[in-house]
Amino acid sequence: MFELKWLWKYMGKKRHLFIIGLILSALTSAMQVINPMLSQKLIDEVITPRKTDLLLPILGAMLVVQVVRLGLRYVMIICLEHNSQQMLDDVRKRMYRVIEEQDYRFYGRIRTGDLMTRITSDLDLVRHFCAWISYNIVDSVVLFSVTIAYLCTVNVPLTLCMAAITPFIAVITYFFSKKIRPMFVELRAKLSNLNTVAQENIAGNRVVKAFAREPEEEEKFRRCNEEFRKKNLEATYVGVKFTPLIELLSQSLTVTSLLVGGIFMMNGSLTAGGLMAFSSLTWALANPLRNLGMLINDVERFFASCRMVIEIFYAQPSIVDHKLATEPKERVKGDVEFKNVSFRIGGTTLLDHVSFHIPAGSTLGIMGTTGSGKTTLVNLIDRIYDVSEGEVLLDGKNVQDYTLHSLRSAVGMATQEVFLYSETVLKNVCYGNPNLSQEEAVKYMKMAAADEFSAKLPDGYETLIGERGVGLSGGQRQRLALARAIAMRPSVLILDDTTSALDTETEKYIQEQLRHLDFPCTKIIVAQKISSVMNADCILVLDRGRIIEKGTHEQLLKHRGYYSSIWALQNGMEQEAVHLGA
């Protein structure tokens, strides 16, 4: 059982508490036989012969046994809870770290809702196994075994008669287990689908409202919820079918002890105390068997969930630090060069033999049609993706020779699709540089034209903003994202269509500020508007993953290609643009 080996390995520093808990579980289960033994002695040696000298000692011993057992039981539960909560904490932190390290392939394969299910409910079922299922299994096995052993000392034939019933319960339990296992795998998949639908609709609620799709999304959720309900009921019905059989066989133990035990008592082969011992311990044989169905149910849930947790736990990102990767000894200058770079995903070529050079401190503009590879190109610089062919150099050194942390610390990025955390304005700006003082943060917010509207918020810079910047306009979110990128003081600043939601005046102000940053920085501006890139030292025009034009604004206008056609369109010269495009 790989799942059990994995669980044992990653119980962590409190594994000894789990061992202590199971030992106490076995001990306290065995102690449940002591009082019936003393009851037998009480009847056979005190009540029947009417000798009262042992009455108080036996009653006192029974009381002490019960108190000690309850005390040990309390310690057992505390040990198992401490162990399971520590395991939960350690594994969840490891899973979260693994998720954070994954690349685009991982997130393309596993949906967000499924990830949330694995890191919450699946992992909690694993904890439930450690804290509850494990000791119940030990309880059942030890209690049944010790009871059989003790009853054999009282009357072997009667014990064998009662034990003969147990194989039938074992057979029924086996078939129940075989039937229920695939159901829990399907049930878990239905839960994952349900969580995914809920997560996507919560995250995309503005899109839902914009297209008035509330009824359709409610219907989608209703269908997923109904499928989950039906699958739950299906699993429950299977349990209900098997439970009466197990219950009937368990109850037959009581009938057997009274019927056969009464016959043995009448013929003198069993004492009254012995019959009482059998009667009082019938539950000790019946309960473990009766609990088998429930325990198998829980164990199957554990295995189904544990496999999902392990899949994430051992997931390996494809983009990692190379063995010889190093931290730069001084600040990266920002000299960027692409040498014959190609990038493919699943057989589709997104970049095809791209080569160019950006001297440190200069500005590069990138334009092109939608899907031409602009965003893919800039994502190769900080290794969001890795090249399929060629190499990307930073200060003359392959980006793969830098540690990921040092590389991404040297590259600041602001994108058109802005994500802001449910934190204060100030904390969002300082996200990439937590040690930044408020004065410095405000300075960079001014550079990004984000200080004025931020200061007017209800609590100023300490105002909490919602997930994804809810409560702010698109332009305000873009300006905060730009301020966050600048606040890193990066050696390479990438602006991926960052000013698309800004008015012309604000965009000109930001461009002026970017030309006068108080730290050395190479700037790469991806844009659709000519005004965003026209002052760049060099402009690349991409089409289908290839560079089709390259030069300054003036050079590209003279070239009279794609760039000049877009310039004509954006400056109200439609006829010329059509002519040039032809």
Side-chain angles (χ1 to χ4, degrees), residues 151-338:
L151 293 180
C152 282
T153 65
V154 178
N155 189 290
V156 174
L158 180 54
T159 303
L160 293 177
C161 287
M162 297 178 70
I165 300 172
T166 59
F168 296 101
I169 299 177
V171 170
I172 293 172
T173 302
Y174 169 76
F175 283 108
F176 173 65
S177 170
K178 196 172 181 180
K179 185 89 172 173
I180 203 73
R181 175 172 292 187
M183 289 185 174
F184 282 127
V185 175
E186 291 180 36
L187 186 62
R188 197 223 154 270
K190 298 296 182 187
L191 176 60
S192 176
N193 289 338
L194 184 65
N195 286 341
T196 297
V197 171
Q199 182 272 329
E200 287 178 348
N201 277 278
I202 292 171
N205 68 89
R206 284 182 288 181
V207 176
V208 175
K209 292 183 185 301
F211 289 90
R213 294 284 295 179
E214 290 91 343
E216 289 79 6
E217 293 302 330
E218 287 175 12
E219 175 61 20
K220 186 196 295 184
F221 183 83
R222 187 200 65 77
R223 287 198 305 270
C224 290
N225 196 37
E226 180 66 13
E227 289 175 3
F228 181 63
R229 182 187 71 84
K230 286 181 179 178
K231 190 56 64 175
N232 250 319
L233 285 176
E234 189 179 336
T236 302
Y237 290 153
V238 171
V240 169
K241 288 177 184 176
F242 282 93
T243 299
L245 291 174
I246 295 176
E247 189 70 26
L248 178 64
L249 289 170
S250 299
Q251 290 299 326
S252 66
L253 292 171
T254 302
V255 177
T256 302
S257 68
L258 292 174
L259 179 62
V260 180
I263 294 172
F264 285 162
M265 184 176 173
M266 285 187 287
N267 65 25
S269 60
L270 184 67
T271 64
L275 181 60
M276 182 180 178
F278 270 93
S279 299
S280 62
L281 284 174
T282 300
W283 69 270
L285 295 177
N287 272 10
L289 299 175
R290 190 182 292 116
N291 291 338
L292 271 177
M294 181 181 64
L295 289 175
I296 287 175
N297 193 328
D298 286 334
V299 168
E300 292 301 338
R301 284 179 182 269
F302 159 74
F303 281 118
S305 292
C306 195
R307 281 190 287 271
M308 298 299 104
V309 170
I310 289 173
E311 184 181 353
I312 300 298
F313 196 85
Y314 287 114
Q316 294 295 321
S318 59
I319 298 177
V320 295
D321 284 336
H322 286 201
K323 291 182 179 179
L324 300 178
T326 58
E327 298 268 349
K329 295 180 179 179
E330 55 187 23
R331 178 182 170 86
V332 173
K333 295 176 182 177
D335 184 278
V336 177
E337 185 176 2
F338 276 55

Side-chain angles (χ1 to χ4, degrees), residues 557 563-574 576-577 580:
L557 286 180
Y563 184 87
S564 64
S565 176
I566 296 299
W567 179 83
L569 282 171
Q570 293 181 4
N571 285 274
M573 302 168 65
E574 289 85 355
E576 183 181 351
L580 291 173

Side-chain angles (χ1 to χ4, degrees), residues 425 429 445 450-463 476 480:
V425 171
V429 172
M445 288 169 69
D451 64 310
E452 187 174 347
F453 75 82
S454 297
K456 292 178 180 178
L457 293 172
D459 296 315
Y461 304 128
E462 295 299 324
T463 302
Q476 289 172 333
L480 283 177

